[in-house]
Amino acid sequence: MDEPDSDDYDSDEMNEAFDLAWTGLKNGSLKCLNSDGTFRCPYSPGRKKQNYVYSELHQHAVGVGKGERGPVAAGNHRALQKYLEQDMAARAHPQAERVIHLQQEVPSRVDNDDKRVRPWMGILQNIDNRTRRPADQFRIGPGAADIKEHLRAFNPESVKVLYDYKGHLGMAVVGFRNTMDGFKDAEAFENSFCLKRRGRKDFEMNYPHALGEHLYGWMATEKDVDGWNKGSHKLLVEHLRANGDLKCLPEIVKELELTAQQQVQNLKKVVINKDDVLQVTHRENWSLTNKVDLVTAQREQAESEKLKLIENHKKELEGLQRAASLAAEEHERNMGAYRTQIENRMKELESKCSELGMLQIENEAEKARNFAERQETQKLLAWYKVQAKIQEEQQLKQIELIKKHKDESDKLENELQEQRKKLQAKHWRELENHRVTEQLEAEKAKKAEIIEANIEETEKEKEEYVKKIAELEEKLKDCEEDMDYNNDLVNQLTISHRQANSEVEDAKTLIIKLKVLEKYGTSDIGVKRLGQLNTEGWWEACGHKFPSKMRFCKWQSRVETLMADNTFNPIRVESDGKGGHKYSVNEDDKELTNIREKYGPLVANAVAAAMLELTTWNPSGRYIVSMPWDFKANQKATMSQLFDFFLKVIKNKEDEVKETQKKLKALEEAMALTKEKTKGPASGVSKGKKRPRP
């Protein structure tokens, strides 16, 4: 390959590009000479300047041929340099030519004022329509799709076949694109028929008897719109007038030029705006990068402080857990001692019952009194056994439930802490990814500016740039991989969090089912039936509107049915001012207004409050739900509040057991006293009298 001497850049790809470019320049497929004698670069069609002098184009080819824009561009411009030096050297300094003035007369300008239909349309005449339908002699001919297929060489956009009450008229209107390309297609359509002597003039000359079987076609003009042609039809004229405008070619060209100029101006404005935005971006990029680094440092410091607070909180929780564990062990020891004491008491009672049964009783009165005392003691013992067993079972269940809930809460808290740490790490990686991406884009933009300005770089600068780009890309790849991994991990933690919340809700549901809150609830903690109507005071407020109490109860049932209907929705959603939403009562609701007018504000307010609770806590089901409730704060009770409540209940139960134990001890002492009194008279009788036979 014969090419300019240069050792700056060389490769097989560049040699191949040189050969292809040289062949194109030599055979004339690629041109670098303009019609006005100036030169242009055939490999830079996007450049604004396309009219170089010889020296400028030669300098451009030499500069790009050094290989700064890649091997393909270097090969193309080296071929252009060689072609300029060998074949175009004579045009570097063109000689002045002798001027010869035109002596002949030039005719005056005559413009073609023939107006054409726009959008461009063509008329097709003498379509074969000799076939008739046997039933009613209706003329049948080729359809629009068939004609469009046969005219596909002219790129028609649409075909309209004309019909009247007798059938196919043998003519069609062909529509072309409303652009200059469409005009070229329509003109080619007309010229093709004219060359075959089947144009407008040929049709008018041969109409109507010498048309033969040939098709005739031409572009629609003013004559066709006015209906001056032979063979024209009213339907054809109406279609052209309804779907096109008459304009002469100068007007059309001027309109297209104005449109093109407007588009060019708009594009220039867009380019200018983009340049301004790019300059502002370059100026602000480094300042933004510094700000991001500063914010990242502050964020890391805040995260470290937050981790310290979390660690301290964790230590406090561990201390509380140890204290709770010690309290539970102490409770278990007390309960064990209590059970042992109960068993001893029961054994003593059983022995006393057996002793009473074995006493030798002398008379019937003593026997009856002894039997009644024994029956009473046995009943008391049986009742005490049952109560002790029930209390023991309840206390064991409550202790197990409290331990279970406590363990679940601790597990949930630990999972939430881990999830927070992962989320903070994710945020840090996203910031790092954004920072690396900005640095990479900034380096590429600087390199593009250097290439555009044709600034030569040393080999060391090139190596440093390549090395820096490789490091940034590797770092960006690592950040993206870390982000993908952590996204998967966050998704898994989110699922675990939801499962833990579901388990907590199940625990609260179990608490409701055990009815502990309903039995031992207080004015602060208890069970609230959310969505239940508060009918207190309804009879006094609107009872006079009903003839009987039964009708009043039926009306209450209808109100409850209305609340379960999904079409009744007096609640609206509005912003809470913090980026979220909240529910509020729509006082203008039609049904609610009707209830307020008929039955008073007390009933309407109760219905609105119940609907607000249903929408908040059970919007899909619209049935009453029971919920552990903190009546003091008017909100759902937390698990810690429930734990404290259960501990208080257990403590109260222990106090009750101790009180019962005291009563039992006093009863036993009374029974022992009674036994001593009974033994005294019985022994005296047995000494003086014999025991009668039974």
Side-chain angles (χ1 to χ4, degrees):
M1 181 184 71
D2 187 12
E3 62 180 81
D5 295 331
S6 177
D7 296 329
D8 295 342
Y9 204 96
D10 196 6
S11 67
D12 295 336
E13 189 176 1
M14 186 192 70
N15 296 336
E16 183 179 358
F18 180 91
D19 294 335
L20 292 175
W22 177 254
T23 304
L25 290 169
K26 293 295 289 184
N27 61 21
S29 59
L30 296 173
K31 295 182 179 180
C32 63
L33 184 64
N34 295 325
S35 59
D36 57 353
T38 59
F39 294 84
R40 61 185 175 86
C41 179
Y43 307 109
S44 303
R47 298 180 68 89
K48 295 182 179 180
K49 188 174 182 180
Q50 294 292 334
N51 53 350
Y52 295 92
V53 297
Y54 178 89
S55 60
E56 292 176 346
L57 184 60
H58 186 269
Q59 183 181 1
H60 168 73
V62 172
V64 180
K66 292 181 180 180
E68 296 294 338
R69 299 186 183 179
V72 177
N76 292 336
H77 285 79
R78 288 186 181 186
L80 178 61
Q81 177 186 351
K82 179 180 177 182
Y83 181 77
L84 290 173
E85 293 173 352
Q86 291 186 3
D87 296 351
M88 293 291 172
R91 293 183 176 271
H93 303 286
Q95 298 179 357
E97 298 180 357
R98 188 177 62 180
V99 179
I100 301 176
H101 297 284
L102 182 64
Q103 300 296 331
Q104 292 91 348
E105 180 183 0
V106 178
S108 59
R109 173 173 173 172
V110 178
D111 293 328
N112 184 9
D113 294 334
D114 189 13
K115 294 185 177 181
R116 299 176 182 268
V117 178
R118 192 167 181 244
W120 317 113
M121 295 184 188
I123 298 174
L124 201 62
Q125 286 278 13
N126 200 35
I127 302 173
D128 186 10
N129 62 347
R130 292 174 294 179
T131 306
R132 295 178 179 271
R133 197 159 52 197
D136 52 3
Q137 297 300 311
F138 191 80
R139 291 193 297 270
I140 303 173
D146 186 41
I147 296 173
K148 186 176 181 180
E149 177 65 23
H150 282 78
L151 296 177
R152 65 180 179 274
F154 305 106
N155 302 319
E157 196 172 50
S158 62
V159 175
K160 173 68 176 176
V161 180
L162 301 179
Y163 290 85
D164 64 358
Y165 68 95
K166 293 183 180 180
H168 200 293
L169 289 177
M171 62 181 68
V173 179
V174 183
F176 298 93
R177 292 171 293 173
N178 192 22
T179 60
M180 289 307 297
D181 293 334
F183 173 74
K184 292 177 182 179
D185 293 333
E187 199 171 32
F189 170 80
E190 184 177 41
N191 294 335
S192 300
F193 279 98
C194 287
L195 290 175
K196 297 289 185 178
R197 297 186 180 277
R198 300 178 197 166
R200 180 198 302 274
K201 294 181 179 179
D202 302 299
F203 178 79
E204 292 178 350
M205 187 185 302
N206 298 331
Y207 185 81
H209 302 295
L211 295 176
E213 298 180 357
H214 301 299
L215 286 173
Y216 292 82
W218 58 86
M219 284 185 68
T221 61
E222 185 177 6
K223 294 180 180 180
D224 300 296
V225 175
D226 295 337
W228 294 346
N229 289 336
K230 292 182 180 180
S232 183
H233 196 276
K234 180 181 178 182
L235 293 176
L236 176 62
V237 174
E238 291 177 353
H239 180 79
L240 294 176
R241 289 178 179 176
N243 297 281
D245 297 327
L246 284 174
K247 291 185 179 180
C248 60
L249 286 178
E251 293 176 351
I252 296 172
V253 171
K254 186 176 181 180
E255 181 180 343
L256 292 175
E257 288 178 352
L258 290 175
T259 304
Q261 291 176 1
Q262 185 64 35
Q263 291 177 351
V264 170
Q265 293 296 330
N266 294 336
L267 289 175
K268 285 182 179 179
K269 291 179 181 179
V270 171
V271 171
I272 292 171
N273 293 334
K274 291 292 183 182
D275 290 339
D276 294 340
V277 172
L278 186 60
Q279 292 176 3
V280 172
T281 303
H282 285 317
R283 285 195 301 268
E284 295 180 354
N285 182 33
W286 297 108
S287 62
L288 290 175
T289 303
N290 295 331
K291 290 180 181 179
V292 169
D293 293 337
L294 178 61
V295 171
T296 302
Q298 294 176 353
R299 182 183 180 85
E300 290 176 354
Q301 182 180 0
E303 286 177 354
S304 62
E305 294 177 357
K306 185 177 180 180
L307 289 175
K308 292 180 181 178
L309 292 174
I310 292 173
E311 189 66 26
N312 295 333
H313 178 67
K314 187 176 180 181
K315 291 180 180 178
E316 292 177 359
L317 286 178
E318 290 177 354
L320 292 175
Q321 290 175 356
R322 286 194 295 271
S325 177
L326 293 175
E329 292 176 359
E330 182 67 22
H331 175 75
E332 184 65 26
R333 286 196 297 270
N334 294 335
M335 292 302 296
Y338 172 72
R339 284 194 296 270
T340 304
Q341 187 177 3
I342 292 298
E343 289 175 357
N344 295 332
R345 293 292 184 184
M346 286 192 294
K347 288 179 180 179
E348 291 178 2
L349 288 173
E350 289 175 354
S351 63
K352 288 179 181 180
C353 289
S354 60
E355 288 177 1
L356 289 173
M358 296 172 64
L359 287 175
Q360 300 293 330
I361 300 175
E362 297 298 331
N363 53 42
E364 293 296 331
E366 193 77 18
K367 182 179 179 180
R369 188 177 63 182
N370 188 15
F371 179 77
E373 185 178 352
R374 187 173 61 185
Q375 290 292 332
E376 184 179 355
T377 304
Q378 288 178 351
K379 288 181 181 179
L380 181 62
L381 180 62
W383 176 85
Y384 187 76
K385 287 181 179 180
V386 173
Q387 292 298 321
K389 187 176 180 180
I390 292 174
Q391 289 179 1
E392 184 178 359
E393 291 176 354
Q394 289 181 350
Q395 289 173 356
L396 289 174
K397 287 182 180 179
Q398 289 174 355
I399 290 172
E400 291 176 357
L401 187 62
I402 288 173
K403 288 182 179 179
K404 178 184 175 183
H405 292 172
K406 196 170 186 306
D407 294 339
E408 290 175 351
S409 298
D410 294 340
K411 183 179 178 182
L412 177 61
E413 183 66 25
N414 294 332
E415 290 179 353
L416 289 176
Q417 293 293 339
E418 291 295 328
Q419 186 175 356
R420 290 192 188 98
K421 292 179 182 178
K422 299 297 182 182
L423 192 59
Q424 291 169 1
K426 175 190 171 186
H427 292 166
W428 182 85
R429 288 185 180 88
E430 287 178 350
L431 289 173
E432 183 69 14
N433 186 13
H434 182 68
R435 188 178 65 81
V436 173
T437 304
E438 284 186 348
Q439 290 181 357
L440 185 60
E441 291 178 354
E443 292 294 332
K444 290 182 178 179
K446 288 169 62 179
K447 185 67 175 179
E449 290 177 357
I450 292 172
I451 294 174
E452 186 68 23
N454 292 328
I455 299 175
E456 295 184 0
E457 293 181 295
T458 62
E459 293 295 332
K460 185 177 180 181
E461 290 177 347
K462 292 179 182 178
E463 291 177 358
E464 289 179 354
Y465 171 75
V466 172
K467 184 178 179 181
K468 192 171 184 180
I469 292 295
E471 290 177 355
L472 290 174
E473 288 179 347
E474 184 68 23
K475 196 171 183 180
L476 181 62
K477 184 178 179 182
D478 294 339
C479 290
E480 290 176 350
E481 290 178 355
D482 290 343
M483 287 177 63
D484 293 338
Y485 170 76
N486 283 280
N487 285 335
D488 295 338
L489 190 60
V490 167
N491 292 334
Q492 294 177 2
L493 289 174
T494 303
I495 294 172
S496 300
H497 185 202
R498 290 178 180 174
Q499 291 176 352
N501 284 337
S502 177
E503 291 176 358
V504 171
E505 294 299 326
D506 293 341
K508 291 183 179 180
T509 305
L510 181 60
I511 290 171
I512 297 296
K513 288 183 179 179
L514 291 176
K515 297 184 178 181
V516 178
L517 289 174
E518 294 181 359
K519 186 175 181 181
Y520 303 105
T522 63
S523 59
D524 294 338
I525 301 295
V527 177
K528 183 176 181 180
R529 292 174 56 81
L530 298 170
Q532 186 176 20
L533 273 173
N534 182 13
T535 59
E536 184 179 356
W538 280 25
W539 176 254
E540 292 78 5
C542 57
H544 61 279
K545 297 180 180 293
F546 301 93
S548 63
K549 189 77 172 181
M550 184 180 295
R551 296 294 275 299
F552 175 74
C553 294
K554 289 182 178 179
W555 169 73
Q556 282 186 342
S557 300
R558 287 199 299 271
V559 173
E560 293 175 354
T561 305
L562 175 64
M563 291 174 59
D565 190 0
N566 290 327
T567 58
F568 177 55
N569 187 22
I571 306 301
R572 60 188 173 191
V573 182
E574 58 187 18
S575 175
D576 59 357
K578 300 179 181 179
H581 66 277
K582 63 179 181 179
Y583 296 108
S584 62
V585 179
N586 183 12
E587 300 293 343
D588 298 330
D589 184 75
K590 184 178 179 181
E591 290 290 343
L592 193 62
T593 304
N594 187 21
I595 293 174
R596 183 180 291 106
E597 292 176 353
K598 283 188 177 181
Y599 306 106
L602 179 65
V603 178
N605 293 337
V607 172
M611 285 301 299
L612 186 60
E613 291 178 353
L614 285 177
T615 306
T616 304
W617 299 100
N618 191 13
S620 59
R622 280 208 178 185
Y623 54 83
I624 298 172
V625 293
S626 298
M627 188 72 64
W629 199 258
D630 182 2
F631 293 102
K632 189 174 181 180
N634 195 22
Q635 64 181 11
K636 184 169 64 172
T638 61
M639 292 302 295
S640 61
Q641 290 176 323
L642 294 177
F643 291 152
D644 295 339
F645 172 77
F646 286 142
L647 289 174
K648 290 180 182 178
V649 171
I650 292 173
K651 186 176 180 181
N652 293 334
K653 283 296 179 182
E654 289 177 351
D655 295 340
E656 291 179 3
V657 169
K658 290 179 180 178
E659 187 67 26
T660 306
Q661 188 176 356
K662 290 180 181 179
K663 292 181 179 179
L664 183 60
K665 187 176 180 180
L667 181 62
E668 289 174 354
E669 291 176 354
M671 289 177 62
L673 230 118
T674 305
K675 183 178 178 182
E676 290 177 0
K677 291 180 180 180
T678 306
K679 282 182 179 180
S683 59
V685 171
S686 61
K687 288 180 182 179
K689 295 183 181 180
K690 292 184 178 181
R691 179 180 169 186
R693 291 177 180 268

